[in-house]
Amino acid sequence: MRTVELSRENVRLIDQRRLPNELVVMACRDYHEVGEAIKTLAVRGAPAIGVAAAGGLALAAQALKDRSEPEFRAGLESAAAELRATRPTAVNLFWAIQKVMDFAATQQGRPPEDAADALYHFAVGMAEADVATNKRMAEFGQALVADGAGILTHCNTGSLATVDYGTALGVIRMAHEHGKQIHVYVDETRPVLQGSRLTAWECVHFGIPATLITDNMAAHMMRLGNIQICFVGADRIATNGDTANKIGTYGVAVLAKEHGIPFYVVAPTSTVDLAIASGDEIEIEERNHEEVTHIGGVRIAPEGIGVANPAFDVTPAKYITGIITEAGIAYPPFPVNLKRLLQGGNQNVGP
Ligand code: MRU
């Protein structure tokens, strides 16, 4: 199945908190449950939470379809506000909600029942578009992968982080499907372990040769010559190319630069936030400290210790070789070339 599946009755999600030990599908029956699933990381990954939120809004519309038009609109607005408040960093969430709300505005004057139906189809279309976008990015990205390459990736950017196929892991998957002999080094990605729990699970599932490493082994693997290229995803990309992604990404980028290894970000254009000039303007989510002090419910740090748990960091643009989108690959200078890509310019703009 897909990671996110929409229907008029529910939003079905692979519950990522249970992987890799159990593959369980959960059904969210209203937008409150979708919001809770996003907050608790049952569904996670920038594109996946965007589509899940769109599905949540479609559920809200279904629940409001017998109300008056003003009540329908007010109800949708309040659902959108609740869903926006779930997680702050990934712009795809806000982008997807805005897209649905803009579409809802075009339905003004129609009976709520018809508008709700149209909204449901719109959200389903967004889910489909996500898969097509990922495959386009994967085609662009896989062309950069040499036969025999060792590839480092961080966090989970695969099918589980999207509706299907993935962003950075989608590139890796397509290189594998094209018959390239690749080997993936999977950062475990402390503290929530999206690498060891989810990316490793996808690699095993798809038969992609891979080795799991702890985050602090990346430098060593690079020095040994095991890594020829890095692919990571993104939660928000500023106009200047600064990229927020899972905590630890910045360190990988600095290491890659030091070792002369190309470092690529793979993300749909919906992850680019032209409303902000640089990464300094990106809000970094601070999550529950138990994610750091506990593993699998077992305490691994003493009571009373101070803890920080930023879920994301910002990689300055100067460490990024290129940004792979469904519209093509942007190379530095990003302020010019990202804009060009978004405005429908050439594929592969720059260097
Ligand atoms: O906290 P998460 O698991 O939602 O963080 C996910 C990431 O940082 C991914 O790398 C990013 O969303 C890109 S996913 C295609």
Side-chain angles (χ1 to χ4, degrees):
M1 79 164 270
R2 290 182 163 178
T3 298
V4 184
E5 285 185 352
L6 311 184
S7 78
R8 286 185 179 78
E9 290 76 40
N10 55 38
V11 173
R12 286 186 307 282
L13 306 166
I14 293 180
D15 186 345
Q16 303 191 34
R17 299 166 298 190
R18 316 272 290 264
L19 285 168
N21 298 324
E22 288 176 300
L23 179 56
V24 174
V25 175
M26 62 186 285
C28 302
R29 289 154 303 174
D30 59 35
Y31 73 88
H32 303 294
E33 290 185 0
V34 172
E36 208 45 37
I38 294 172
K39 270 192 200 157
T40 58
L41 309 186
V43 61
R44 33 70 46 205
I49 63 176
V51 172
L57 285 174
L59 291 181
Q62 289 294 322
L64 292 160
K65 67 182 180 189
D66 297 328
R67 304 281 187 85
S68 68
E69 209 192 324
E71 283 172 341
F72 179 79
R73 300 222 160 271
L76 262 191
E77 284 295 350
S78 104
E82 185 170 320
L83 289 164
R84 280 191 192 103
T86 52
R87 296 190 76 188
T89 304
V91 74
N92 309 62
L93 177 71
F94 302 90
W95 171 86
I97 292 170
Q98 201 49 49
K99 235 174 125 67
V100 174
M101 295 308 282
D102 289 347
F103 177 76
T106 68
Q107 300 299 298
Q108 221 143 16
R110 294 187 74 191
E113 190 171 356
D114 295 351
D117 200 50
L119 225 125
Y120 164 69
H121 287 291
F122 187 76
V124 168
M126 286 174 72
E128 290 306 318
D130 180 63
V131 183
T133 293
N134 293 339
K135 292 198 170 157
R136 266 184 79 71
M137 291 192 291
E139 278 295 355
F140 286 125
Q142 73 79 29
L144 302 168
V145 178
D147 201 24
I151 305 171
L152 184 85
T153 192
H154 193 73
C155 194
N156 173 266
T157 59
S159 292
L160 292 166
T162 59
V163 174
D164 203 358
Y165 212 79
T167 59
L169 196 59
V171 166
I172 293 167
R173 181 171 162 188
M174 195 162 280
H176 171 72
E177 286 170 2
H178 281 225
K180 293 185 183 173
Q181 303 300 307
I182 56 168
H183 195 95
V184 188
Y185 289 83
V186 177
D187 273 355
E188 71 170 344
T189 317
R190 275 282 288 150
V192 180
L193 304 175
Q194 288 94 335
S196 58
R197 292 189 304 107
L198 309 175
T199 301
W201 184 79
E202 288 198 45
C203 286
V204 170
H205 184 78
F206 294 116
I208 303 171
T211 298
L212 176 64
I213 59 172
T214 62
D215 301 326
N216 51 1
M217 295 175 190
H220 180 66
M221 293 300 162
M222 288 182 184
R223 198 177 76 83
L224 291 181
N226 291 344
I227 317 285
Q228 279 69 50
I229 193 164
C230 301
F231 291 109
V232 300
D235 289 85
R236 194 183 290 241
I237 301 171
T239 307
N240 71 347
D242 289 354
T243 294
N245 191 48
K246 180 52 54 195
I247 190 76
T249 303
Y250 178 20
V252 174
V254 174
L255 289 175
K257 182 131 189 152
E258 177 63 24
H259 290 85
I261 298 168
F263 179 92
Y264 284 93
V265 170
V266 188
T269 49
S270 54
T271 306
V272 181
D273 185 356
L274 291 182
I276 58 169
S278 83
D280 296 345
E281 294 170 66
I282 300 175
E283 182 180 345
I284 301 292
E285 177 183 9
E286 179 77 16
R287 290 189 63 85
N288 191 323
H289 291 176
E290 284 199 1
E291 289 179 353
V292 176
T293 56
H294 290 66
I295 295 184
V298 177
R299 177 170 274 282
I300 54 151
E303 304 254 14
I305 187 69
V307 176
N309 188 15
F312 302 95
D313 59 25
V314 174
T315 300
K318 68 176 180 181
Y319 294 105
I320 298 170
T321 309
I323 299 175
I324 302 168
T325 74
E326 77 279 17
I329 306 175
Y331 291 97
F334 293 120
V336 179
N337 289 335
L338 264 180
K339 260 198 202 136
R340 263 207 244 158
L341 263 194
L342 262 69
Q343 287 158 0
N346 303 336
Q347 286 177 2
N348 305 339
V349 284

